Amino acid sequence: MSRLVSTTDVLVIGAGVAGLSAAFAAAPARVTLLTKTDLFGGNSAHAQGGVAAAIGAADSPALHARDTLAAGAGLNDHEAVGVLTSEGPDRAHALLALGARFDRTQDGALALAREAAHSVRRVLHSADATGAEILKALGRAVRSNPMIRLVERATVVDLHMVDGRVAGAFTTDTDGLTTLHQAGAVVLATGGSGQLFEVTTNPVEATADGIALAARVGATLRDLEFVQFHPTALAAPGADPLPLVTEALRGEGAVLIDEAGRRFTTDSHPDGDLAPRDVVARAIAQHRLDGHDVYLDATSIGAHFPERFPTVFGACRLHGFDPRTQPIPVSPAAHYHMGGVATALDGRTDIDGLFAAGEVAATGVHGANRLASNSLLEGLVFGARAGVAAAAYAVENPLPPASPPPPIDRHHSTTRAGATAASLRRIMWRQVGLVRDNDGLSEAIRLLDDLDRPGLDPETCNLLLVARLTARAALARTESRGAHQRADFPHTDRGWSGHLDVRLVDGQVVISFDPIADKEAVTV
């Protein structure tokens, strides 16, 4: 097999909002930006609702922080939340300076939307395609920067380790060419893991790659049990992924009803349709289990629907629904992973030379349940921080002398193991989904372990590894908190006020509990 070697200062893996922000911030160091899709692939391109930032007259970073903490069910890192909310306005204004076009009112002011669990209107949006608009602005900046080299359609197979330090990554491309990208520092910005689940809003490329890459080199993973299920995906038969139906619709007056027209979510929470996502998602799931159909009635938006929500409108029309005149069927779906690679506030992991930002990272900013529209903001704020820190690390720690690249693990196939991926997604949805219990999780672990075999392609290997680790973390946390709901432990337990850290040590899964109170890690 042909091999190439390239050298850079900072290698950024992933080209969503976090990756582009990291690459842009890391220059004027030499930066190589890798993406396994085209530049505008991944979850960021599909983000509909918007980006939350405290720029309104009635808002403040302190109020934004309060709402973020309330949604996080007691597990947020307060310092991380402070960074997110205090730096958010500057990140929003930087986007405007790069040419991002957000919706405005008739008098030219920025139009701010309200979404669930936000106490005020603070969400900037570009119709319902905000992620794509932000990517356009960042993409223009990255493409025009001569210090940034973009490599598209390159799949990272493994990280390159030299003397205990991450010093690059191996990729394969569509022609089967293997490249070692040597780098002084590596930033993982690979996005989420929604393809772990049979029902998801995530695109096919969301295969938990960054978490798996970090796990294999011994990095600490954190909060893997906290997976957010979005309450409203379009329940379109045969669709995979399911089209997202943005929460901003409910912020503009759309309501959840059943086949009798009854608004049922107030049975679960006084805020009803605008309660935190985990509450609304479970209310919908339970109502469906009780034999009801669930719909989102957005007919009050009427003729303005195609203009205000063109992405949702197009998806509805594609599947035979008209949201202007009829309620549309909705279902919860896997949407966002609060857990990931444990990082400091500058993206630094506990492996030298390795940084992470965006959905792949666990800064603690989201706690047990992410506040709506904080994900794009997280990518902007912590992506830029990781880029700056990685560039500084690369300057301070020059690359070790080049050595011949070792062979890539040959157990990988180049053909996607469709049957294995389908099986693990089905197991995860049914037994590690919205509501979990000991028997289901134990069975899931056994079934997932049985799926492990030689010959799997890199993406399926990554999915399977992260599925097994996530199921083990969910089994270990014997309480219900935020997005993690245990039927056999239905209450939140103050004794579980802390984080579960997961590491691979000599091929064995080691889980430890890190209490928030005293930070004294004890083995579970």
Side-chain angles (χ1 to χ4, degrees), residues 294-439:
V294 177
Y295 301 90
L296 184 70
D297 185 354
T299 55
S300 61
I301 298 173
H304 297 293
F305 201 114
E307 176 186 353
R308 175 64 181 87
F309 301 102
T311 304
V312 176
F313 184 75
C316 288
R317 297 303 292 145
L318 178 66
H319 292 283
F321 304 106
D322 189 340
R324 296 170 298 184
T325 61
Q326 65 185 129
I328 57 174
V330 292
S331 166
H335 185 61
Y336 187 89
H337 207 157
M338 274 77 71
V341 186
T343 69
L345 298 180
D346 62 356
R348 197 178 305 263
T349 73
D350 56 359
I351 302 296
D352 284 348
L354 183 63
F355 299 75
E359 189 175 352
V360 70
T363 61
V365 72
H366 302 306
N369 190 36
R370 177 175 65 84
L371 182 67
S373 288
N374 269 355
S375 55
L376 289 174
L377 185 66
E378 178 193 24
L380 293 166
V381 170
F382 291 99
R385 282 175 154 254
V388 170
Y393 179 92
V395 169
E396 296 165 3
N397 300 273
L399 274 173
S403 57
I408 293 177
D409 189 350
R410 284 297 121 214
H411 79 274
H412 289 316
S413 165
T414 57
T415 303
R416 185 76 174 266
T420 300
S423 294
L424 79 85
R425 294 181 67 202
R426 184 166 54 252
I427 293 164
M428 291 292 289
W429 175 250
R430 294 179 180 179
Q431 292 160 278
V432 198
L434 279 85
V435 181
R436 305 154 173 178
D437 61 31
N438 180 83
D439 291 346

Side-chain angles (χ1 to χ4, degrees), residues 187-199:
V187 180
L188 295 175
T190 52
S193 53
Q195 284 290 317
L196 285 173
F197 296 90
E198 185 177 39
V199 182

Side-chain angles (χ1 to χ4, degrees), residues 44-178:
S44 293
H46 297 273
Q48 294 180 5
V51 55
I55 63 172
D59 202 1
S60 69
L63 186 57
H64 188 184
R66 188 185 73 181
D67 291 345
T68 300
L69 293 170
L75 290 194
N76 309 76
D77 182 289
H78 286 236
E79 189 176 3
V81 172
V83 167
L84 179 81
T85 57
S86 63
E87 296 185 9
D90 287 344
R91 289 291 121 207
H93 290 301
L95 280 176
L96 292 168
L98 290 176
R101 296 176 296 178
F102 295 116
D103 292 343
R104 295 182 179 270
T105 62
Q106 289 185 345
D107 61 3
L110 288 167
L112 301 177
R114 182 186 176 197
E115 297 184 8
H118 288 272
S119 56
V120 298
R121 289 180 172 268
R122 68 163 59 93
V123 179
L124 296 91
H125 51 85
S126 181
D128 62 352
T130 309
E133 178 60 27
I134 292 173
L135 285 183
K136 289 177 186 176
L138 291 173
R140 288 191 296 267
V142 164
R143 284 190 182 278
S144 64
N145 191 316
M147 298 304 292
I148 301 173
R149 172 175 169 250
L150 174 65
V151 179
E152 297 174 291
R153 299 202 168 275
T155 298
V156 176
V157 177
D158 275 311
L159 296 174
H160 178 44
M161 299 293 293
V162 177
D163 297 328
R165 167 187 173 180
V166 173
F170 295 97
T171 64
T172 59
D173 64 18
T174 54
D175 296 323
L177 182 66
T178 299

